[in-house]
Amino acid sequence: MASFHTPGHKNRFLKSFNNLFELDLTELDATDDLYNPKGPIVEAEQLAASYFGAKKVLFSTSGNTLCIQAMLRLAVPSKSKIICARNLHKSALGAIILLDLEPIWVFPEVQEEERGLPGRITSKSVEMHLKKNPNARAVYITSPDYYGCMCDVEKISSHCKKNNTPLLVDNAHGTHLACLDPSLHPIALGADISSDSAHKTLPVLTSGAFLNINNDNYLEDATGSMALFGSTSPSFPILASLDLCRDWMQKNGRAEFSRLERKVRYIENLATQKGISLPPGRTDPTRISLGVGSIGISPGECAKIFRKFAVEPEFASDFYLILIPSPFNTDENFENLERAILSLEKKEQKKEISLDIPKEFDARQILSPREAFFAENKKVSVECSVGKIASRGICPCPPGFLFVAPGEEITEESAFFMKKTGILDILVVK
Ligand SMILES: Cc1ncc(COP(=O)(O)O)c(C=O)c1O
């Protein structure tokens, strides 16, 4: 099957990885210690920092989840406010609970032509929230999202800088943006810290990620913050793959991604000619999100058709079929994808979008996410949950949107969206 899903190495990167057991080592003089590095790991991380243009880069072998935990631990003291995008990954919600943070939610804006997508956080709403919450310790956004939609990081970061508030970006899906010309990586656009799930789009073993820090205030405690949550037995093959990936990006990234951009543009043109819609606005030029609902085909049905052409997509959402290509896809992979798209037959009726992202609603935070999560709880049906305080957050990914936060009063609106996503019961505070 042609892999149009993670990981980005597409199972064909380096011969040295043919025998993983040779690389699977422990902390020795020659291999160094990830959470107390003095030798080759410092060197590798410094090379990565100079590549990304950051003051410090730390390697993670526990995914972007660990980077998000460390990023929030570094920038936001416990019980402090954080201006936080409501379209966030559940790993960030977990970190907010563990660290006892007080989120001030910013809802993304969804234009009519963006229905079926989680929408984008606008610089205007960040500016407004910064004004209203001068004591917030950081702004946290996700960009790009799973569908490739990107926020205006440059503008958001300029508002943050004016207010002396750091901008933290969950860049899980965008490590490779550093390879574009010009770079669209959040660090290049002014973010203070970014967490990068390198394994999703680059030749890195699954769970390999980078934490990029570009603010002097967060350098000293950075390794300690990673160590707080990370395993004491980090995987050396994953570390090696991160270092080799940085070398590959430095030598080949720009040329390889510019080739990939051209292939993706070709595929997108083909799709548009077929009547398939694409996410509008600012997007990652290498992510393929096909709005096959616009030609009346459900993404699940489309995935089945694609598999007949030996194309395995990443995910079928309500309206979009998401494919994650990388420079390690072969020309043959793209030919299969082209044939698969050409085989699609438009239906009479457009597919209805059944899962809209809720417009901003009055989310009343009664308890902190941490208090609610660790409180005594009981299971109730979503039907009977309105007015009760959620003990667990409901944050399905995709769409990667928080329907209800722990500690929040469940509204008619959030219950409606939970039912729509097939969630029938929820733990509420007793
Ligand atoms: C937006 C986003 N953030 C964070 C994560 C967590 O990353 P990882 O799986 O590398 O821990 C994901 C994973 O899918 C994600 O999509």
Side-chain angles (χ1 to χ4, degrees):
M1 298 294 275
S3 158
F4 281 98
H5 49 82
T6 67
H9 55 67
K10 308 299 175 193
N11 313 92
R12 50 186 292 276
F13 179 41
L14 283 179
K15 288 211 170 58
S16 50
F17 277 86
N18 284 349
N19 189 352
L20 279 180
F21 286 97
E22 277 178 8
L23 291 164
D24 194 24
L25 296 158
T26 185
E27 288 79 8
L28 306 167
D29 274 357
T31 56
D32 212 354
D33 178 350
L34 182 60
Y35 299 123
N36 186 21
K38 296 195 169 71
I41 293 179
V42 179
E43 202 182 317
E45 289 180 334
Q46 281 172 350
L47 286 167
S50 107
Y51 174 73
F52 285 105
K55 293 188 194 258
K56 198 178 196 110
V57 165
L58 296 180
F59 288 2
S60 160
T61 66
S62 313
N64 192 43
T65 300
L66 174 62
C67 298
I68 291 174
Q69 290 166 331
M71 171 160 80
L72 292 174
R73 154 73 191 83
L74 273 170
V76 194
S78 110
K79 302 200 187 298
S80 306
K81 282 187 182 159
I82 176 169
I83 296 171
C84 193
R86 189 85 180 187
N87 53 332
L88 85 173
H89 189 256
K90 56 189 167 193
S91 54
L93 184 64
I96 287 171
I97 293 165
L98 288 172
L99 295 164
D100 201 5
L101 308 186
E102 192 188 318
I104 308 291
W105 299 115
V106 190
F107 282 68
E109 280 179 20
V110 188
Q111 310 299 333
E112 178 56 28
E113 64 277 16
E114 294 173 326
R115 286 186 60 205
L117 297 166
R120 294 177 178 84
I121 298 294
T122 65
S123 58
K124 252 200 175 134
S125 71
V126 170
E127 186 184 23
M128 191 265 285
H129 280 87
L130 280 165
K131 266 201 194 122
K132 267 174 72 180
N133 300 282
N135 57 348
R137 301 297 293 262
V139 170
Y140 178 94
I141 58 169
T142 305
S143 179
D145 65 16
Y146 201 52
Y147 304 79
C149 297
M150 294 166 72
C151 298
D152 188 344
V153 175
E154 213 162 6
K155 228 175 183 172
I156 292 175
S157 100
S158 88
H159 289 308
C160 289
K161 284 190 183 14
K162 264 189 237 148
N163 279 272
N164 224 358
T165 309
L167 174 64
L168 319 179
V169 180
D170 174 359
N171 183 42
H173 292 274
T175 320
H176 63 281
L177 297 175
C179 297
L180 305 187
D181 189 12
S183 167
L184 294 179
H185 191 277
I187 291 293
L189 301 179
D192 292 83
I193 315 184
S194 82
S195 62
D196 294 20
S197 224
H199 63 95
K200 292 194 193 300
T201 54
L202 287 163
V204 166
L205 291 177
T206 296
S207 287
F210 296 115
L211 179 69
N212 275 283
I213 306 172
N214 209 23
N215 180 322
D216 287 325
N217 294 333
Y218 308 124
L219 302 180
E220 269 179 17
D221 202 15
T223 309
S225 297
M226 292 285 264
L228 174 64
F229 298 104
S231 160
T232 53
S233 305
S235 151
F236 279 84
I238 296 177
L239 289 177
S241 77
L242 284 164
D243 188 32
L244 287 163
C245 171
R246 187 272 315 150
D247 183 62
W248 178 88
M249 289 169 94
Q250 215 158 0
K251 292 179 181 147
N252 310 304
R254 196 142 276 187
E256 291 283 345
F257 270 90
S258 128
R259 225 189 323 270
L260 181 64
E261 268 188 71
R262 283 197 295 278
K263 287 182 188 173
V264 170
R265 217 173 303 134
Y266 176 79
I267 290 292
E268 287 183 336
N269 280 338
L270 208 69
T272 328
Q273 280 164 25
K274 277 262 168 195
I276 298 170
S277 68
L278 303 173
R282 196 183 290 256
T283 52
D284 168 3
T286 66
R287 179 63 48 104
I288 305 176
S289 293
L290 302 175
V292 290
S294 57
I295 56 166
I297 302 179
S298 87
E301 192 188 327
C302 185
K304 281 188 196 152
I305 299 171
F306 277 25
R307 284 186 199 111
K308 288 191 190 145
F309 290 86
V311 168
E312 188 64 54
E314 163 77 16
F315 188 75
S317 79
D318 182 40
F319 195 79
Y320 286 89
L321 186 72
I322 301 162
L323 299 113
I324 304 186
S326 94
F328 294 89
N329 282 113
T330 60
D331 286 343
E332 194 190 343
N333 291 168
F334 276 94
E335 284 158 19
N336 289 357
L337 179 56
E338 182 174 346
R339 277 195 289 275
I341 293 173
L342 288 174
S343 79
L344 297 177
E345 280 173 30
K346 192 171 177 164
K347 295 193 178 153
E348 286 280 294
Q349 269 211 311
K350 244 174 115 166
K351 190 187 167 303
E352 279 301 310
I353 294 175
S354 61
L355 186 65
D356 267 327
I357 293 300
K359 294 222 166 44
E360 180 154 6
F361 58 86
D362 186 21
R364 290 204 314 135
Q365 194 79 40
I366 311 291
L367 297 175
S368 76
R370 185 179 170 95
E371 280 171 325
F373 189 92
F374 291 109
E376 268 199 89
N377 56 33
K378 62 175 180 188
K379 200 189 254 185
V380 297
S381 71
V382 167
E383 202 81 42
C384 304
S385 68
V386 175
K388 299 195 165 38
I389 302 171
S391 173
R392 294 286 179 275
I394 302 290
C395 193
C397 179
F401 183 89
L402 182 63
F403 289 134
V404 66
E408 210 169 79
E409 187 180 280
I410 300 170
T411 60
E412 293 278 0
E413 187 132 30
S414 48
F416 170 80
F417 282 103
M418 283 189 264
K419 279 189 270 174
K420 260 200 152 175
T421 26
I423 295 159
L424 300 178
D425 3 77
I426 179 169
L427 287 175
V428 296
V429 175
K430 249 188 186 169

